Amino acid sequence: MSTEPYLDADPSAQTGAATPTNARKVFIKTYGCQMNVYDSDRMSDALSRDGYVATETMQDADLVLINTCHIREKAAEKVYSQLGRLREMKKARAAEGREFMIGVTGCVAQAEGEEILRRAPAVDVVIGPQTYHRLPEALKRAKAGERVVDTEYALEDKFSHLPRAEEARTRSRGVTAFLTVQEGCDKFCTFCVVPYTRGSEVSRPLAQVMEEARNLVSAGVRELTLLGQNVNAWHGKDEAGRELTLGDLLYRLAEIPGLARLRYTTSHPRDMDERLIAAHRDLRLLMPYLHLPVQSGSDRILKAMNRRHTAEDYVALIRRIRAARPDIALSGDFIVGFPGETEEDFEDTLRLIQEVGYAQAFSFKYSIRPGTPGAELEDQVDEDVKSARLERLQALLLRQQQAFNESRIGMEFDILLEKPGRLEGQLIGRSPWLQSVNVTGRADEIGSLVRVRIESTGANSLFGTRI
Ligand code: SAH
Ligand code: SF4
Ligand code: F3S
């Protein structure tokens, strides 16, 4: 119901580090999905090699990067209003004789390329998600007076060009970290821009993933979330050349000493194989929480969306996953008002939600994306119909979320302590099901797993006592 994991509206998602006074400073503003958060960190790493330090205040920055999202119209348009404000800042800086550079990265950069330079004259560089390892070089060219657009699908492997995690180890890292293992999408759902902005499915090799994971864990990370647009399409080869899938990768990662928790996102129902379901059954480290978007509960709409499964396939899959891991909680994504969606189709979606029971969900009004097959369809749904359906859908999902949170009252489980709470002497940890849990604790306990009993629930979090 919120759009939280897709950071459309997040005011302050950027990377941070200590700041020597004379160094050049970069401010990165991140929109979109977790992969953009990961990418922003990697860009920050690449720039730190070039003498930049990250700053948390845009006003301080010599370089501002907007890492953009193209998934819905609103997300994409936000970029241009942001760039309008940056243009004013650049003028003010020029009057002081100070350098100020602006870069647009991410999925809008990939989709619009040159068009950004035309619409936003203050922009110096436009870099796509596949070329951000070339950012330092692009900035040098921009300093020499060129306006750079680099949105090629690079032939070289960007991951092997980025600073290795051990170089970044001195940078402060939290208790949890994202790790991209797969990128791109070959599914071509008819509403979606991702196959065009992120390119086709690519998996990072086993050895590279294992190395980055070990480095993160030795830098103090306790929980890893593996990322991919279709993370469960990950595949690789072991040392003997045997084919591996995401389930195999999870078994291997679970062996890393010091790692406490594993998660992965986002999955496609068609790529949930037996090995992955077995991993949910066998691995204590793999958290019982699965984000498995279905988008619609109507077979007609699923077909028009090119999801290539039925509502019953999805429900049957959930049954198998729950049989393997009974305490697993589900989260999902839903789109209302896809072209041709009738009241009946919409009610099929409500029925599917009733049947599955979600702990958490994200739901959106269908947004026409130029260049996708959905944009060509004639029977677009009226905006007010979409709004009314979204409201009904979100009311149901909110009730399910509250019921799920309340069902934790009286339960005992481990939480991973992540950060200080709002009050002195309090900490915030995460439940296995991604809920924030408030408990008492000391700052030096951050990073440890502690056992709690849940006493009550608040609007967005749980309250526990330690046992
Ligand atoms: N790869 C993931 C989703 C990535 S996009 C998957 O297949 O599930 C994240 C979510 O944004 C999607 O699940 C979908 O619910 C939503 N979304 C994508 N395109 C959209 C559009 N054109 N309009 C509205 N919502 C959209
Ligand atoms: Fe988009 Fe579909 Fe690919 Fe997900 S699976 S990224 S929704 S095209
Ligand atoms: Fe947005 Fe690109 Fe992620 S379009 S959701 S930032 S893959």
Side-chain angles (χ1 to χ4, degrees):
M1 54 221 57
S2 73
T3 55
E4 195 213 329
Y6 316 107
L7 302 168
D8 288 1
D10 191 304
S12 64
Q14 72 277 318
T15 49
T19 308
T21 44
N22 57 351
R24 285 173 302 170
K25 294 179 194 142
V26 55
F27 174 88
I28 307 180
K29 170 86 184 138
T30 309
Y31 295 95
C33 60
Q34 290 99 330
M35 195 171 291
N36 264 10
V37 175
Y38 176 87
D39 290 349
S40 288
D41 277 345
R42 296 293 75 73
M43 288 192 278
S44 189
D45 287 348
L47 289 169
S48 74
R49 266 189 173 176
D50 244 36
Y52 278 95
V53 293
T55 172
E56 310 236 340
T57 23
M58 196 184 278
Q59 260 53 27
D60 276 357
D62 307 292
L63 166 65
V64 172
L65 297 177
I66 312 289
N67 196 12
T68 60
C69 175
H70 201 240
I71 200 81
R72 284 169 291 275
E73 192 181 357
K74 244 194 0 230
E77 280 307 312
K78 211 167 286 177
V79 177
Y80 287 102
S81 50
Q82 181 77 258
L83 288 174
R85 287 192 292 277
L86 285 172
R87 184 185 192 180
E88 294 309 310
M89 263 180 82
K90 192 171 190 171
K91 275 191 201 146
R93 289 294 180 87
E96 297 167 17
R98 265 179 76 191
E99 177 191 281
F100 186 65
M101 295 181 83
I102 303 171
V104 179
T105 63
C107 290
V108 176
Q110 188 64 42
E112 300 195 354
E114 295 275 348
E115 175 67 14
I116 296 176
L117 296 188
R118 267 191 295 277
R119 272 184 76 178
V123 171
D124 300 288
V125 296
V126 175
I127 301 274
Q130 306 309 333
T131 39
Y132 58 67
H133 55 294
R134 300 192 200 142
L135 186 59
E137 181 214 317
L139 289 169
K140 282 188 197 106
R141 281 161 60 197
K143 259 177 213 153
E146 201 184 331
R147 296 180 82 200
V148 182
V149 177
D150 190 353
T151 53
E152 298 287 303
Y153 288 116
L155 290 173
E156 72 271 13
D157 173 12
K158 70 176 172 190
F159 294 106
S160 61
H161 279 71
L162 294 167
R164 309 308 291 231
E166 66 259 35
E167 292 177 57
R169 200 179 287 169
T170 48
R171 291 162 38 103
S172 71
R173 294 222 176 252
V175 172
T176 63
F178 294 134
L179 171 49
T180 294
V181 301
Q182 182 280 343
E183 189 169 353
C185 181
D186 299 336
K187 302 282 189 295
F188 290 92
C189 301
T190 53
F191 52 81
C192 185
V193 293
V194 171
Y196 313 98
T197 64
R198 291 278 170 172
S200 50
E201 288 179 3
V202 176
S203 295
R204 289 178 72 189
L206 175 71
Q208 213 185 63
V209 172
M210 292 303 295
E211 187 191 351
E212 187 165 337
R214 283 195 203 97
N215 290 336
L216 288 166
V217 173
S218 64
V221 167
R222 306 294 321 277
E223 174 181 300
L224 282 177
T225 302
L226 309 184
L227 298 182
Q229 267 85 37
N230 283 291
V231 69
N232 54 351
W234 183 89
H235 59 96
K237 283 199 164 54
D238 70 5
E239 299 71 9
R242 277 184 300 258
E243 280 292 326
L244 304 176
T245 59
L246 186 70
D248 302 300
L249 178 61
L250 288 164
Y251 281 91
R252 293 215 175 198
L253 289 166
E255 298 292 316
I256 296 177
L259 184 62
R261 289 180 162 186
L262 278 167
R263 304 178 186 277
Y264 61 91
T265 198
T266 295
S267 303
H268 194 287
R270 284 181 59 89
D271 291 325
M272 285 304 298
D273 65 9
E274 283 309 320
R275 186 72 174 149
L276 187 50
I277 296 174
H280 278 286
R281 181 193 63 214
D282 296 341
L283 298 175
R284 187 184 45 83
L285 263 62
L286 182 56
M287 290 296 103
Y289 182 92
L290 176 62
H291 184 63
L292 196 62
V294 65
Q295 316 298 353
S296 169
S298 152
D299 288 344
R300 229 172 48 79
I301 296 298
L302 285 169
K303 190 157 198 282
M305 286 176 162
N306 192 32
R307 295 290 291 184
R308 293 163 56 229
H309 62 76
T310 63
E312 179 48 33
D313 293 338
Y314 179 82
V315 172
L317 173 62
I318 304 267
R319 253 183 249 123
R320 278 163 54 217
I321 297 167
R322 281 188 166 141
R325 183 76 202 228
D327 64 343
I328 203 160
L330 268 298
S331 117
D333 290 343
F334 299 91
I335 295 177
V336 299
F338 185 81
E341 185 188 75
T342 62
E343 176 63 24
E344 253 170 44
D345 294 318
F346 173 65
E347 280 168 14
D348 285 345
T349 303
L350 296 179
R351 245 190 309 277
L352 178 138
I353 293 171
Q354 295 280 17
E355 183 158 359
V356 172
Y358 288 90
Q360 168 77 277
F362 306 93
S363 46
F364 314 97
K365 286 191 268 184
Y366 172 68
S367 169
I368 299 178
R369 307 309 292 129
T372 61
E376 309 294 316
L377 297 173
E378 307 229 311
D379 37 2
Q380 299 287 337
V381 175
D382 283 350
E383 237 4 76
D384 45 347
V385 174
K386 286 188 208 171
S387 301
R389 285 181 189 165
L390 187 66
E391 214 172 288
R392 284 164 66 196
L393 184 96
Q394 292 192 336
L396 172 60
L397 289 167
L398 183 63
R399 282 201 300 279
Q400 291 194 340
Q401 186 186 346
Q402 285 166 345
F404 179 75
N405 287 344
E406 278 156 22
S407 73
R408 304 299 100 169
I409 294 174
M411 276 192 187
E412 294 176 3
F413 47 77
D414 286 349
I415 63 169
L416 177 61
L417 297 173
E418 282 186 10
K419 56 186 182 195
R422 249 190 299 163
L423 302 175
E424 184 72 28
Q426 282 201 334
L427 297 177
I428 298 176
R430 288 271 178 190
S431 80
W433 307 278
L434 272 183
Q435 299 145 303
S436 293
V437 183
N438 299 284
V439 288
T440 55
R442 301 181 318 269
D444 65 352
E445 293 180 291
I446 289 174
S448 38
L449 286 172
V450 297
R451 194 118 188 117
V452 299
R453 182 176 40 247
I454 300 306
E455 306 294 348
S456 61
T457 66
N460 291 307
S461 56
L462 307 177
F463 297 89
T465 50
R466 297 181 53 172
I467 47 176

